[in-house]
């Protein structure tokens, strides 16, 4: 029995909650995964997993063994990287998740530079605004805008994104262009509903040292950034969004900046990953590349 391979299969089963998902993730036959776990349990003399018709979960011994396996596998990967060419040429699959706007407009167009530097890394990219359970879903790294909500993850700041207040020309034609906060009393907004926290977001303005929150009447609330922009372009009211996401609409004239004299609080962009992944060369080089990408002029992250 290859004990390290068995440990890899075991940890992925715990993280994904099933043999089939783990086998697919590691690209091994399900039968091979089942045999490895049986051999591992026989070798250790304990039951590691509880199997039901719906899910697989670790026993008390299995949970303790999982924690040790995670650390051992991370140490093994780091050791191999230090003493081999993999330090300069990391390889393997890197699973990442990010908001669709960041992915479509910034990261994916720039990815050829990353894949040219690291041709042996294969990327699996999820584009969505929903919260992701990195451990259970087998994701190595996520990018998120706003405050980091999970303190158990390692957070690497990438940028403080400039934000704008926006409206469609059609909306402004009917409602008029606001020139001050007082003018907003006769306007409406599109409400953003966070999939991660359930929080509802109105408008915010930085007036000196004071953060002024403004909640206007609404007819639509959405939980995705693309839907947020679509509702604004359709004339349902004001929105506030990062500058990078509005560059195309501003250039095309489908959206217009309003109240430019009133600052909107910047939004943090952060890379998050589980503590046991901070030793991974794949994660490290990708996050380092993201830091450089976000500092590059022309991305629209910072003006």
């Amino acid at each position: 029995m290859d004990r390290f391979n068995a440990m890899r299969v075991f940890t992925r089963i715990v993280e994904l909650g099933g043999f089939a998902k783990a086998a697919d993730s590691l690209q091994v036959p399900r039968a091979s995964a089942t045999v490895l776990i049986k051999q591992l349990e026989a070798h250790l003399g304990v039951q590691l997993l509880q199997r039901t018709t719906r899910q697989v979960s670790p026993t008390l011994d299995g949970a303790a063994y999982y924690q040790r396996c995670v650390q051992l596998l991370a140490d093994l990967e780091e050791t191999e990287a230090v003493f081999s060419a993999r330090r300069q040429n990391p390889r393997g699959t890197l699973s990442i998740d990010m908001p669709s706007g960041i992915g479509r407009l910034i990261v994916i167009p720039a990815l050829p530079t990353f894949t040219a530097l690291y041709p042996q890394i294969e990327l699996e990219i999820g584009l969505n605004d929903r919260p992701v359970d990195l451990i259970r879903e087998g994701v190595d790294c996520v990018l998120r805008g706003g405050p980091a909500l999970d303190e158990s993850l390692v957070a690497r700041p990438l940028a403080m994104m400039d934000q704008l207040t926006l409206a469609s020309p059609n909306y402004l034609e009917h409602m008029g262009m606001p020139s001050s906060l007082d003018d907003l009393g006769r306007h409406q907004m599109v409400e953003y509903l966070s999939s991660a926290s359930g929080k509802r977001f109105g408008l915010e303005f930085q007036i000196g040292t004071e953060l002024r929150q403004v909640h206007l009447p609404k007819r639509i609330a959405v939980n995705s950034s693309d839907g947020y922009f679509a509702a604004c372009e359709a004339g349902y009211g004001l929105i506030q969004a990062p500058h990078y996401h509005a560059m195309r609409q501003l250039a095309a004239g489908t959206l217009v900046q309003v109240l430019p004299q009133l600052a909107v609080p910047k939004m943090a962009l952060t890379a998050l990953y589980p503590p046991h992944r901070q030793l991974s060369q794949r994660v490290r080089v990708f996050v380092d590349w993201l830091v450089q990408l976000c500092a590059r002029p022309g991305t629209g992250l910072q003006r």
Side-chain angles (χ1 to χ4, degrees), residues 41 76 119 157 162 173 187 216 223 239 250 253 263-264 267 275 290:
E41 289 179 324
L76 175 64
D162 290 311
E173 182 179 343
H187 284 268
L216 303 178
N223 67 352
I239 66 170
L250 289 169
V264 180
M267 177 185 291
L290 284 174

Side-chain angles (χ1 to χ4, degrees), residues 122-143:
E122 179 181 329
L123 297 170
E124 293 182 353
I125 303 175
L127 299 179
N128 59 76
D129 297 324
R130 70 173 179 84
V132 171
D133 186 329
L134 279 76
I135 302 300
R136 180 160 295 279
E137 297 184 44
V139 176
D140 296 306
C141 176
V142 299
L143 276 65

Side-chain angles (χ1 to χ4, degrees), residues 138-299:
V139 176
D140 296 306
C141 176
V142 299
L143 276 65
R144 286 294 175 258
L149 299 176
D150 191 339
E151 296 182 356
S152 69
L153 301 176
V154 178
R156 178 83 178 272
L158 299 176
M160 292 299 294
M161 300 184 290
D162 290 311
Q163 296 201 91
L164 309 175
T165 307
L166 304 160
S168 71
N170 180 58
Y171 171 84
L172 294 173
E173 182 179 343
H174 287 84
M175 303 297 293
M177 173 71 78
S179 59
S180 68
L181 278 180
D182 292 338
D183 287 347
L184 291 181
R186 55 188 176 85
H187 284 268
Q188 63 185 36
M189 69 178 187
V190 179
E191 186 177 69
Y192 185 82
L193 177 61
S194 171
S195 297
S197 65
K199 182 178 178 180
R200 296 177 179 270
F201 290 88
L203 306 179
E204 294 184 336
F205 298 94
Q206 191 71 46
I207 311 297
T209 59
E210 179 189 359
L211 179 63
R212 187 81 59 85
Q213 295 185 337
V214 179
H215 290 274
L216 303 178
K218 69 177 189 300
R219 296 178 62 192
I220 286 183
V222 296
N223 67 352
S224 78
S225 56
D226 287 341
Y228 192 51
F229 270 81
C232 184
E233 290 181 272
Y236 283 100
L238 306 175
I239 66 170
Q240 288 180 332
H243 176 245
Y244 82 86
H245 206 156
M247 292 173 65
R248 178 181 60 81
Q249 291 91 336
L250 289 169
T254 58
L255 289 181
V256 176
Q257 183 180 6
V258 302
L259 299 172
Q261 75 279 16
L262 297 179
V264 180
K266 294 178 182 290
M267 177 185 291
L269 179 64
T270 308
L272 301 163
Y273 46 92
H276 69 269
R277 299 304 295 159
Q278 62 186 320
L279 297 177
S280 167
Q281 285 294 319
R282 294 189 299 275
V283 173
R284 188 177 301 175
V285 296
F286 182 71
V287 174
D288 286 345
W289 176 79
L290 284 174
V291 171
Q292 297 176 5
L293 173 64
C294 291
R296 190 181 303 170
T299 58

